[in-house]
């Protein structure tokens, strides 16, 4: 059974056209993360939520925003996608940010193409 | 135009051989380490973890070794199978800004198992 679900699996958008990626979880985890992964590179953390507390990484562009309306759902909004934003976007959850031995559970990712 | 991407370190082994994948980390404050396996087009999948108060941990066909002196982590896979072919990432967690715990991925290694 899928525990972290990302939709859609593939997303195509046009240069400059806003796009939203979604993530849902059935684990009731406190923490949800968004990572960006470009081809042949390691996942790079964009931001995370601890409950409703939003934590942005210092080098995440303003073009990327996130919303978490409830425990189960988290959205990644790209306001004006550029060609350089084409990547796999990974959502992950964790049970408790303060527990150092809590592993992250990842979704299957959304592959974003920008035309 | 031609696309340019980073090339992952690669390891090619014969089916049935043992594999050793290495990882160097930089943050001496990291206290928890994880190995993830990522198959093409999928999200990272947890393999095994280890805390900084240990130097070895074994799972099913996998062993993780931690050398804190030289900040080195390795993943050993016994009797490697074709289904083990994937990119393997090490990741570290440690304090990052107060009470935040951030998972940082190292460079991946592409493991190819030849039948």
């Amino acid at each position: 059974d899928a525990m972290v679900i990302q939709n859609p699996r593939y997303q195509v958008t046009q240069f400059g056209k806003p796009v939203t990626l979604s993530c849902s979880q059935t684990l009731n985890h406190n923490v949800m993360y968004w990572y960006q992964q470009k081809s042949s590179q390691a996942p790079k953390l964009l931001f995370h939520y601890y409950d409703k507390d939003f934590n942005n990484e210092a080098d995440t562009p303003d073009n990327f925003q996130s919303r978490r309306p409830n425990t189960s759902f988290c959205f990644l909004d790209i306001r004006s996608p550029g060609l350089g934003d084409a990547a796999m976007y990974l959502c992950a959850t964790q049970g408790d940010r303060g527990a150092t031995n809590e592993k992250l559970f990842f979704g299957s990712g959304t592959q974003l193409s920008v035309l | 135009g031609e696309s340019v991407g980073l090339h992952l370190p690669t390891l090619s082994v014969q089916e049935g051989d043992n594999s050793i994948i290495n990882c160097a980390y930089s943050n001496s404050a990291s206290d928890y380490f994880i190995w993830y396996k990522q198959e093409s087009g999928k999200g990272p999948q947890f393999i095994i973890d280890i805390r900084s108060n240990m130097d070895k941990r074994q799972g099913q066909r996998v062993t993780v070794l931690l050398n804190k002196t030289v900040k080195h982590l390795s993943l050993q896979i016994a009797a490697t199978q074709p289904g083990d072919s994937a990119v393997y990432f090490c990741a570290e967690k440690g304090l990052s800004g107060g009470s935040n715990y951030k998972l940082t991925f190292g460079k991946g290694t592409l493991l190819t198992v030849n039948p």
Side-chain angles (χ1 to χ4, degrees):
Chain A
D1 292 338
M3 295 179 290
V4 182
I5 303 162
Q6 292 190 243
N7 285 306
R9 189 77 179 82
Y10 300 93
Q11 176 73 57
V12 180
T13 191
Q14 292 179 333
F15 182 94
K17 184 175 180 181
V19 66
T20 295
L21 310 182
S22 71
C23 177
S24 64
Q25 53 130 341
T26 60
L27 298 164
N28 202 33
H29 279 173
N30 293 330
V31 193
M32 294 187 78
Y33 299 84
W34 279 105
Y35 282 84
Q36 179 194 62
Q37 186 178 26
K38 297 190 176 181
S39 180
S40 299
Q41 296 185 29
K44 178 180 179 298
L45 182 64
L46 295 173
F47 27 59
H48 76 276
Y49 274 96
Y50 182 74
D51 288 337
K52 290 188 178 293
D53 181 24
F54 178 71
N55 298 270
N56 198 31
E57 290 300 300
D59 57 354
T60 298
D62 292 340
N63 195 27
F64 292 87
Q65 303 286 318
S66 187
R67 296 171 284 134
R68 190 179 186 187
N70 53 52
T71 300
S72 301
F73 286 87
C74 195
F75 300 99
L76 170 62
D77 300 309
I78 308 178
R79 296 193 296 187
S80 182
L83 298 179
D85 297 328
M88 171 80 88
Y89 289 88
L90 295 163
C91 175
T93 71
Q94 183 196 0
D96 191 298
R97 183 176 63 180
T100 63
N101 60 348
E102 285 283 325
K103 59 181 180 280
L104 271 62
F105 293 84
F106 282 87
S108 296
T110 294
Q111 183 67 51
L112 177 69
S113 299
V114 181
L115 304 180
Chain B
E2 183 179 83
S3 63
V4 178
L6 297 177
H7 294 283
L8 287 172
T10 59
L11 175 65
S12 184
V13 300
Q14 290 297 123
E15 181 178 359
D17 286 352
N18 296 334
S19 303
I20 300 176
I21 301 171
N22 296 303
C23 177
Y25 64 94
S26 57
N27 185 1
S28 57
S30 293
D31 54 8
Y32 178 57
F33 304 87
I34 313 172
W35 279 99
Y36 281 93
K37 171 186 179 183
Q38 187 173 27
E39 296 174 275
S40 181
K42 296 183 178 180
Q45 177 187 358
F46 173 86
I47 301 174
I48 192 169
D49 57 0
I50 188 168
R51 300 186 71 173
S52 59
N53 61 353
M54 303 170 69
D55 54 21
K56 179 179 180 179
R57 189 161 187 227
Q58 289 185 289
Q60 187 177 15
R61 281 202 307 119
V62 293
T63 300
V64 55
L65 299 177
L66 175 63
N67 185 331
K68 294 182 289 295
T69 302
V70 295
K71 291 187 280 190
H72 183 267
L73 195 66
S74 68
L75 176 70
Q76 301 178 0
I77 305 174
T80 315
Q81 302 167 359
D84 294 328
S85 295
V87 177
Y88 289 81
F89 289 99
C90 64
E92 57 180 303
K93 286 181 79 177
L95 282 172
S96 173
S99 61
N100 292 324
Y101 284 84
K102 173 179 168 179
L103 186 69
T104 302
F105 284 82
K107 292 182 181 178
T109 296
L110 173 62
L111 174 66
T112 302
V113 182
N114 302 309

